[in-house]
Amino acid sequence: AYAFYNCKELTQLVIPGSVTGISENALRGCDSLEDLTIPFVGSNRQANKTYDGALGYIFGRAYSSDTEYYIQYPILDGTSVSGYGYVVPKTLTRVTVTDAVLIPFGAFSGLTQVQSVVLNPGIETIEAYAFRGCTGLTDVCYCGSETQWGAVSISGSGNDPLLAAEM
């Protein structure tokens, strides 16, 4: 459950595509993490419209003493769930997703510090609010062709930062 717990000096981490699940708190305390490569967003490839579909899930629940982190509040039905948040290091600026077919509802929501996202060519769906409030997002790299990108179903609700970022 706490695979990389308190690896405070870790700045880059690659979790291979062979991983099928990532537990809550797996990356808790990775205070210096800048660049994260993951096979999917959330707890597993099927995470969708639940608390475990947010990127912050793998960093763990927020507590009142977590002032050095950004707090990501999961979104359910278009509304942030106050009082239930996840800690995400303020240093995290780049996320690469290597083996997903879905970017879940609210996956990166509110993560203003994330500047760059790399998406694998197998992405088929980007759900509503996946990039809501990602005001720092300036660069999105899609590893497939223009034709493949054109076939990706992107919900228009709350994904303006994704659509505005440079591809």
Side-chain angles (χ1 to χ4, degrees):
Y2 293 86
F4 293 91
Y5 183 76
N6 272 344
C7 291
K8 295 188 180 294
E9 304 303 318
L10 187 66
T11 59
Q12 183 178 16
L13 178 63
V14 176
I15 298 175
S18 58
V19 170
T20 58
I22 305 173
S23 66
E24 187 174 19
N25 295 306
L27 302 181
R28 181 145 190 112
C30 294
D31 301 344
S32 301
L33 192 60
E34 299 171 4
D35 188 347
L36 175 62
T37 299
I38 49 179
F40 45 81
V41 180
S43 65
N44 59 58
R45 285 177 179 79
Q46 290 77 39
N48 180 11
K49 292 187 184 181
T50 62
Y51 292 102
D52 67 343
L55 179 67
Y57 176 84
I58 62 177
F59 292 97
R61 290 281 309 271
Y63 302 98
S64 59
S65 60
D66 289 326
T67 57
E68 72 274 11
Y69 298 97
Y70 178 81
I71 307 299
Q72 180 186 27
Y73 295 98
I75 294 181
L76 301 176
D77 297 325
T79 304
S80 293
V81 179
S82 61
Y84 191 101
Y86 295 118
V87 294
V88 178
K90 290 180 179 179
T91 55
L92 185 63
T93 58
R94 180 180 171 92
V95 178
T96 301
V97 181
T98 60
D99 194 37
V101 295
L102 168 75
I103 301 297
F105 192 92
F108 294 94
S109 179
L111 298 180
T112 60
Q113 81 279 25
V114 174
Q115 300 168 8
S116 175
V117 173
V118 178
L119 301 173
N120 64 289
I123 298 286
E124 296 174 1
T125 304
I126 298 175
E127 293 191 329
Y129 305 105
F131 291 89
R132 176 182 175 184
C134 293
T135 56
L137 186 62
T138 56
D139 184 41
V140 175
C141 178
Y142 176 71
C143 298
S145 68
E146 277 189 53
T147 302
Q148 288 172 306
W149 178 248
V152 175
S153 173
I154 302 173
S155 171
S157 297
N159 283 319
D160 292 343
L162 169 70
L163 300 172
E166 185 165 329
M167 295 294 282

